Amino acid sequence: MVAVLGRIPPDVRAALDGEVSLLEAGALAALDGPSRAGIGLGLTSAMGGGNAETLDKLPGLRAIASVGAGTDAFDLADLSRRGIALCPTPDVMTEDTAECAVGLVIALLRNVVGNDRFVRRGDWVAGRAPLGWRVSGRRIGVVGLGRIGARVAEKLAALGCVVSYTGRSAKAAPWTFVSDVARLADAVDVLVLTCAGGEGTRGLVGAEVLDRLGPDGFLVNVSRGSVVDEAALIAALEEGRIAGAALDVFENEPTPDPRFAELRTCILSPHAATFTRENRRDLISEIRRLLGLATSTAVSA
């Protein structure tokens, strides 16, 4: 039996149906104490997390398999105190998220979405579409050089971009390290956010960083919506203080601030960076593995 601690994607749930007994909150509540204490595995997602009240009812829980790379929805210190190993799925998310980030960079610079609208509106008959920017030679700043950030850097460098990055510290990487995000914004044309979410990065990109990115600068976010001060971003886009943004994540999902929909310089994506057939295949395979060998890839507090 596996306790469902938070929402999990429907395709993951369907893939596990018949293989394991997934116990939702109602089914867990109906069990007696000894039965709940016998449950050693939990299942949730990076967005679903797991609250202390539910964990209190599962004293025998020893591992949680989590769909997704993020851990900011979890109290890692509390899990450590309880002796519970958190097992996310970062490796299977890396390639697709990095690929999406690169796609959004290209879409922004080459006006892919805007040009689609231009043709559909019939504006082509009146004149030429607006000019974009060449991707090769653009200065790219990556915020957070973890698994995903490093792959973004590698892919964009292969396209001829000049890559710099920032993070907690410099890494053994072939790109230029910049000590903080504001200085990085000064030095680049496109700022790509691939850092972790949570309180440590909340509002990391605000009005000052956006102003230092400047009117020819672009922002791409495939990390967490909380990393960006959305009110400041909307104001910067409305006032033309940055050239554009592409967002796969938002502070409020699935109902982001409606003002984003009115901004022609903003590309919107429904937290879909990992939505590929290959990812779902690999993800489901990894979740199956974790439910059998969950403690082997645990995240410590």
Side-chain angles (χ1 to χ4, degrees):
M1 294 188 295
V2 175
V4 177
L5 307 177
R7 68 180 184 274
I8 55 176
D11 55 348
V12 173
R13 184 186 297 274
L16 296 174
D17 187 37
E19 294 188 30
V20 294
S21 177
L22 297 178
L23 300 178
E24 307 285 348
L28 286 172
L31 294 177
D32 58 29
S35 297
R36 287 200 304 273
I39 298 173
L41 287 174
L43 177 62
T44 185
S45 66
M47 304 304 292
N51 61 62
E53 183 180 352
T54 302
L55 297 180
D56 287 341
K57 298 174 182 176
L58 299 166
L61 202 66
R62 289 295 169 260
I64 299 172
S66 176
V67 178
T71 61
D72 48 292
F74 298 91
D75 185 336
L76 296 180
D78 181 56
L79 292 180
S80 180
R81 284 193 298 271
R82 295 174 186 268
I84 299 173
L86 176 63
C87 308
T89 59
D91 292 338
V92 299
M93 302 300 187
T94 300
E95 195 66 21
D96 296 286
T97 306
E99 190 174 273
C100 178
V102 173
L104 292 175
V105 169
I106 295 171
L108 274 175
L109 294 174
R110 297 305 307 268
N111 288 333
V112 172
V113 177
N115 285 343
D116 175 83
R117 290 194 295 255
F118 184 84
V119 174
R120 292 175 188 275
R121 288 194 306 262
D123 292 350
W124 197 1
V125 298
R128 189 177 64 179
L131 296 176
W133 295 87
R134 180 183 296 155
V135 176
S136 177
R138 290 277 74 73
R139 300 170 301 164
I140 306 292
V142 178
V143 180
L145 202 73
R147 291 181 182 87
I148 294 169
R151 285 299 285 147
V152 170
E154 289 169 358
K155 290 173 183 291
L156 288 171
L159 292 175
C161 296
V162 179
V163 177
S164 304
Y165 72 96
T166 192
R168 291 175 184 151
S169 61
K171 297 193 174 185
W175 311 293
T176 302
F177 174 70
V178 180
S179 59
D180 64 69
V181 68
R183 288 191 178 95
L184 185 63
D186 281 333
V188 301
D189 305 305
V190 184
L191 204 60
V192 182
L193 308 181
T194 60
C195 54
E199 291 307 311
T201 57
R202 182 172 295 279
L204 180 66
V205 175
E208 179 189 356
V209 170
L210 295 169
D211 284 341
R212 292 172 75 162
L213 189 57
D216 290 331
F218 296 87
L219 178 74
V220 172
N221 190 7
V222 294
S223 58
R224 287 288 186 265
S226 59
V227 176
V228 177
D229 179 338
E230 289 189 344
L233 175 59
I234 290 169
L237 289 166
E238 288 176 339
E239 297 163 14
R241 289 187 284 112
I242 67 169
L247 310 173
D248 185 53
V249 288
F250 302 87
E251 183 73 37
N252 296 305
E253 298 179 3
T255 55
D257 191 314
R259 291 176 292 174
F260 280 122
E262 304 302 317
L263 296 167
R264 290 188 176 274
T265 55
C266 191
I267 297 173
L268 310 178
S269 175
H271 205 146
T274 62
F275 286 9
T276 67
R277 288 174 170 82
E278 293 84 355
N279 172 265
R280 306 321 280 182
R281 176 199 65 206
D282 296 345
L283 173 63
I284 289 167
S285 176
E286 178 66 356
I287 288 296
R288 284 194 179 109
R289 188 188 73 81
L290 288 173
L291 291 178
L293 303 166
T295 57
S296 62
T297 56
V299 172
S300 61

